[in-house]
Amino acid sequence: SSAASTLFEYAHGGTTPIATLYDSGQYTITCSVDPLSGDLAVSTIAFGGGNPSIAVFGRARGTPVSHPVPDLAELGFISYGPHSQLFLDGITSNNDFQMDRFSGGIFKKVRIRGATIPYGLNGLQYAEGALTLNALGSGESSLLYRMSASGIIKGTTVLPESYTCQGYLIWKGVLICPSGRSEEHTS
């Protein structure tokens, strides 16, 4: 996606777009494809500011239907789960972390049980039967939480020396983390 309200689809390993979608007047942030319906959800922020929204392109085509996200000042990552529900994380105007589930045109808060999620938006993915959420840990590490779709924490993995693991991917039991580490350079 780009700040020019344009989303590009590339074939795996491709360098030329194979499809282009537009969401006029919106900065596009992250996206997720519903494996059941083929719908494409995109998190967006209007050029002029205001609350974030979810734009849904039916079957990843045409003009999107926009759904303003209530109670969130900043929208982070999104991921479709089973049964076509969309999970999203964000930050409230009080700088509190919040996770929502969007289904049937309705946003509902997910109460996370078993851990306190620190401030930060680092990644969210439904993979291999569980919802996962990445958050900042202490020092140069981050944490990967594995939870049920209802928000019950099932486990936590510390990712040492992975200060941020934004936009990670879990595929065939492997975590792929484009990690960034803060380093000081002296001359």
Side-chain angles (χ1 to χ4, degrees):
S1 67
S2 76
S5 304
T6 308
L7 295 107
F8 300 102
E9 178 185 359
Y10 292 87
H12 182 72
T15 58
T16 304
I18 59 173
T20 305
L21 296 170
Y22 302 95
D23 191 6
S24 182
Q26 301 291 314
Y27 288 108
T28 56
I29 310 298
T30 63
C31 62
S32 182
V33 175
D34 180 358
L36 297 177
S37 69
D39 289 353
L40 172 68
V42 180
S43 60
T44 66
I45 299 172
F47 285 160
N51 286 349
S53 63
I54 299 292
V56 179
F57 291 86
R59 303 192 70 156
R61 294 188 205 132
T63 303
V65 174
S66 183
H67 304 274
V69 180
D71 303 327
L72 290 180
E74 189 176 339
L75 188 56
F77 291 84
I78 62 177
S79 182
Y80 274 104
H83 316 295
S84 296
Q85 77 268 46
L86 183 70
F87 292 92
L88 52 133
D89 67 355
I91 303 296
T92 68
S93 59
N94 294 330
N95 286 329
D96 294 324
F97 174 84
Q98 181 174 308
M99 181 181 288
D100 287 2
R101 179 176 36 247
F102 178 68
S103 181
I106 298 171
F107 290 92
K108 184 176 180 182
K109 291 178 186 169
V110 174
R111 188 171 70 95
I112 298 175
R113 295 173 302 266
T116 300
I117 306 299
Y119 175 87
L121 306 171
N122 290 320
L124 180 69
Q125 182 186 6
Y126 191 88
E128 300 178 5
L131 187 60
T132 60
L133 172 72
N134 182 251
L136 296 176
S138 61
E140 293 289 322
S141 66
S142 64
L143 304 169
L144 186 68
Y145 296 96
R146 182 178 170 91
M147 67 183 81
S148 69
S150 64
I152 299 170
I153 300 292
K154 302 286 187 175
T156 304
T157 302
V158 176
L159 305 172
E161 297 188 33
S162 64
Y163 175 71
T164 178
C165 190
Q166 289 188 324
Y168 64 91
L169 173 68
I170 296 173
W171 182 60
K172 295 186 179 182
V174 175
L175 171 67
I176 301 167
C177 175
S179 178
R181 218 178 137 202
S182 62
E183 295 186 26
E184 293 182 26
H185 297 281
T186 57
S187 332

